[in-house]
């Protein structure tokens, strides 16, 4: 059986021009892994398919060195081509990680029933990183979704929250959003690590906040 996935400090990359300054994405991700990121999703809305495949291969190799799962956002064909850990099940077969973003109880239950491995719940707070978010649900919205998952027999699905999460609000969000029967497995962040002056230190601090706030499974 595959080892359980640690969702506690989930890094999502960003390809917005300028966000990395003069730094290289692979170096930033490697630094974040040194700081304790436990799972990486490559999200690239700007580059050509060739660049995406090339970058995905490099990032996958880095993640393998750290024994951390590597997922690709949306581009299921690229995930299939490079054989990474995250995908859409029909195309890539069993033993892959599928994540679905949910901003409502309905979406969360639908994804859980369809067999998603984990949910990205949000958008929690407004964020400059993704401007087309459907709704800002706050920690209370996250708690409602977690309660309903547990109440409908889907309390076992892994969950992270996403959207505007940073070092200053992680502990509060982890604590406030926890439903009595189910708490978050972790937090997913883009800018809190990718745009940080020191991504390794940012990942270390974020990871320590999550672990302090997390209720053991
Ligand atoms: N999905 C919902 S919000 C978001 C994504 C990919 C962006 C989160 O970015 P940040 O910088 O962590 O607020």
């Amino acid at each position: 059986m595959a080892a359980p996935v640690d969702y506690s400090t989930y890094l999502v990359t960003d390809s917005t021009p300028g966000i990395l300054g003069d730094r290289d994405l692979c170096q930033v991700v490697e630094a974040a892994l040194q700081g304790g990121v436990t799972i990486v999703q490559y999200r690239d809305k700007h580059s050509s398919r060739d660049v995406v495949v090339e970058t995905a291969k490099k990032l996958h190799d880095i993640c393998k060195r750290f024994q951390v799962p590597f997922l690709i956002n949306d581009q299921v064909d690229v995930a299939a081509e490079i054989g990474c850990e995250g995908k859409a099940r029909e195309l890539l077969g069993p033993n892959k990680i599928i994540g679905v973003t949910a901003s409502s109880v309905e979406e969360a239950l639908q994804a859980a029933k369809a067999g998603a491995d984990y949910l990205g719940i949000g958008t929690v707070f407004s964020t400059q990183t993704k401007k087309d978010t459907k709704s800002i649900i706050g920690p209370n919205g996250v708690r409602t979704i977690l309660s309903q998952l547990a109440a409908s027999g889907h309390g076992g699905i892994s969950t992270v929250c996403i959207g505007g999460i940073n070092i200053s609000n992680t502990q509060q969000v982890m604590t406030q959003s926890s439903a009595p029967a189910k708490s978050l497995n972790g937090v997913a962040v883009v800018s809190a690590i990718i745009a940080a002056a020191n991504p390794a230190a940012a990942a270390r601090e974020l990871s320590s906040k999550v672990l302090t706030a997390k209720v053991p499974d």
Side-chain angles (χ1 to χ4, degrees), residues 12 43 101 122-123 127-130 133 162-165 188-192:
V12 182
R43 179 172 179 267
T101 304
T123 302
T127 172
Q128 289 301 306
T129 310
K130 191 171 184 211
T133 51
I162 186 162
I165 310 297
V189 304
V190 180
S191 49

